[in-house]
């Protein structure tokens, strides 16, 4: 239920100490006024004003209870004065708070020292009682020290241990949250990179082929109607494929698996089984494509390797058609020793580029990233007067 009194630990430290000092002073005054302060046999002959002065002094020092070890030393001096006049209960009780504060707020070394002092002090008092008195007196002395020496130190050590554990757990939680946020950002960056590769494949593959084939169709519109029609059919096929892939990607981006909102018709990603369409599209772009060995491994290929091999072949043939139009390219795909090798070799014409997409470097970068994503490698560069793209993709462990 709601309360109008704030909890003590919600206050500032100096306010907490002020409340503790004032509260102990009031209780001490009540004890002295009632005459319950006597610890030893016999009446307390010390004037009340001396007792209240001692109480006021030690309660005033409680405002400094976190100043280690100054507060404890000053409180010990007040305790010595009180013992000189005859030990009284309020001063001894307030002194236990200084033992508690020193153990709790002091350094680790100070805290361990206080535990040792409490243990050694208890043993020393018991030994002295055994030497100078009977064993019953020693037992009573040991029990008398428990609430005034052992208990505050033990309690403070336990509170400190729990506080350290809570701080450690809190720090671990912050670290885990930081790591989780970094993992989330890395996952987002990975997905962005993956989508960028897929978009590039659609644009650089299908749309570049459309642009090249359209230009070829315009140049041969009056020369060879049959060939022009074949090119236009290839343009249409590339357009439909590009639209299907773009629609599938947009559907994936709009889908929300958490709500089950997947109301779109997924399009299966391209595979090596559709390599013939890719070759026909490249030929329609004016590139003479010679297909070497292409083993029928589609049913046994891992899906990731199948898609990667197709995309690398698509990118390499698209670049060849763009930079070496009218030239010759050789496509060779083979599997040996658990490695699927994809090679595309094309002629380089005078003034042609490096075989990449418009010199931006994205084509080669995307191919390398795709190969690395399945644990493979890709090399591209001049070879024998032409340009060679060679990818090696592992068939196992993907």
């Amino acid at each position: 239920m709601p309360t109008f009194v704030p909890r003590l630990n919600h206050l500032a430290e100096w306010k907490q100490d002020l409340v503790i000092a004032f509260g102990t002073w009031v209780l001490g005054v009540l004890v002295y006024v009632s005459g319950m302060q006597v610890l030893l046999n016999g009446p307390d002959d010390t004037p009340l004003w001396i007792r209240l002065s001692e109480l006021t002094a030690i309660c005033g020092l409680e405002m400094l209870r976190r100043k280690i070890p100054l507060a404890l030393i000053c409180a010990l001096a007040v305790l010595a004065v009180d013992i000189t006049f005859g030990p009284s209960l309020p001063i001894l009780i307030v002194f236990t708070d200084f033992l508690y504060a020193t153990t709790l707020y002091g350094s680790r070394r100070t805290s361990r020292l206080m535990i040792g002092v409490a243990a050694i002090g208890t043993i020393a008092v018991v030994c002295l009682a055994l030497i100078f008195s009977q064993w019953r007196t020693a037992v009573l002395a040991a029990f008398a020290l428990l609430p005034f020496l052992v208990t505050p130190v033990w309690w403070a050590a336990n509170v400190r241990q729990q506080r350290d554990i809570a701080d450690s757990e809190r720090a671990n939680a912050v670290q885990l949250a930081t790591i989780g946020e970094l993992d989330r950002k890395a996952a987002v960056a990975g997905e962005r990179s993956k989508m960028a590769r897929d978009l590039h494949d659609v644009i650089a593959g299908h749309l570049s082929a459309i642009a090249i084939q359209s230009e070829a169709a315009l140049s041969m519109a009056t020369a060879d109607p049959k060939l022009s029609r074949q090119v236009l059919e290839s343009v249409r096929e590339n357009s439909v494929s590009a639209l299907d892939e773009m629609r599938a990607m947009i559907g994936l981006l709009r889908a929300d698996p958490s709500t089950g909102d997947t109301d779109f018709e997924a399009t299966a990603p391209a595979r090596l089984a559709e390599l013939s369409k890719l070759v026909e599209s490249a030929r329609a772009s004016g590139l003479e494509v010679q297909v070497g060995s292409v083993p029928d491994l589609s049913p046994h290929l891992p899906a990731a390797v199948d898609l990667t091999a197709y995309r690398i072949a698509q990118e390499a043939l698209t670049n060849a058609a763009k930079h070496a139009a009218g030239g010759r390219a050789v496509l060779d795909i083979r599997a040996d020793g658990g490695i699927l090798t994809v090679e595309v070799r094309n002629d380089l014409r005078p003034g042609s580029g490096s075989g990449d997409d418009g010199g931006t470097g994205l084509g080669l970068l995307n191919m390398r990233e795709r190969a690395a994503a399945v644990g493979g490698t890709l090399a591209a560069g001049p070879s024998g007067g032409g340009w060679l793209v060679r990818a090696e993709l592992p068939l196992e462990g993907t």
Side-chain angles (χ1 to χ4, degrees), residues 56-69:
T56 303
I58 198 169
C59 288
L61 289 173
E62 281 197 293
M63 293 295 297
L64 305 175
R65 60 198 292 268
R66 302 175 195 267
K67 304 294 183 182
I68 312 298

Side-chain angles (χ1 to χ4, degrees), residues 155-343:
W155 191 357
N158 187 54
V159 172
R160 181 174 187 137
Q161 182 182 20
Q162 297 300 322
R163 184 188 66 184
D164 291 343
I165 292 174
D167 290 342
S168 177
E169 292 295 330
R170 193 177 298 110
N172 290 338
V174 172
Q175 292 178 355
L176 289 175
T178 302
I179 293 174
E181 180 66 16
L182 292 176
D183 289 343
R184 187 190 68 80
K185 291 181 178 179
V188 171
E191 288 299 319
R192 288 169 63 92
S193 178
K194 181 180 178 181
M195 286 188 292
R197 288 196 302 267
D198 291 338
L199 284 173
H200 174 271
D201 289 338
V202 173
I203 295 172
H206 294 299
L207 301 186
S208 294
I210 290 172
I212 296 172
Q213 293 165 3
S214 300
E215 183 178 359
L218 290 174
S219 63
M220 65 179 64
T222 57
D224 191 343
K226 183 178 180 181
L227 183 58
S228 176
R229 179 178 179 82
Q230 181 180 352
V231 171
L232 290 176
E233 289 177 351
S234 181
V235 168
R236 182 184 181 280
E237 184 177 348
N238 277 291
S239 301
V240 172
S241 298
L243 288 172
D244 288 342
E245 293 194 31
M246 289 291 289
R247 181 175 178 270
M249 289 189 63
I250 292 173
L252 287 172
L253 292 174
R254 293 183 61 185
D256 187 359
S258 62
T259 60
D261 182 15
T262 55
D263 187 17
F264 68 92
E265 182 181 354
T267 301
R271 300 291 183 88
L272 288 178
E274 302 176 21
L275 197 62
S276 59
K277 297 180 180 179
L278 187 62
V279 172
E280 292 300 325
S281 176
R283 287 171 177 168
S285 300
L287 185 68
E288 180 185 347
V289 182
Q290 178 182 346
V291 180
S293 59
V294 180
D296 185 14
L297 296 174
S298 296
H300 309 289
L301 282 179
V305 174
D306 201 352
L307 174 61
T308 299
Y310 179 88
R311 291 301 191 190
I312 290 175
Q314 180 187 37
E315 179 67 28
L317 289 176
T318 299
N319 289 338
K322 185 184 301 182
H323 297 284
R328 177 174 171 269
V330 178
L331 171 63
D332 186 18
I333 300 177
R334 57 185 181 275
D336 185 22
I339 300 294
L340 180 68
T341 303
V342 180
E343 286 187 356

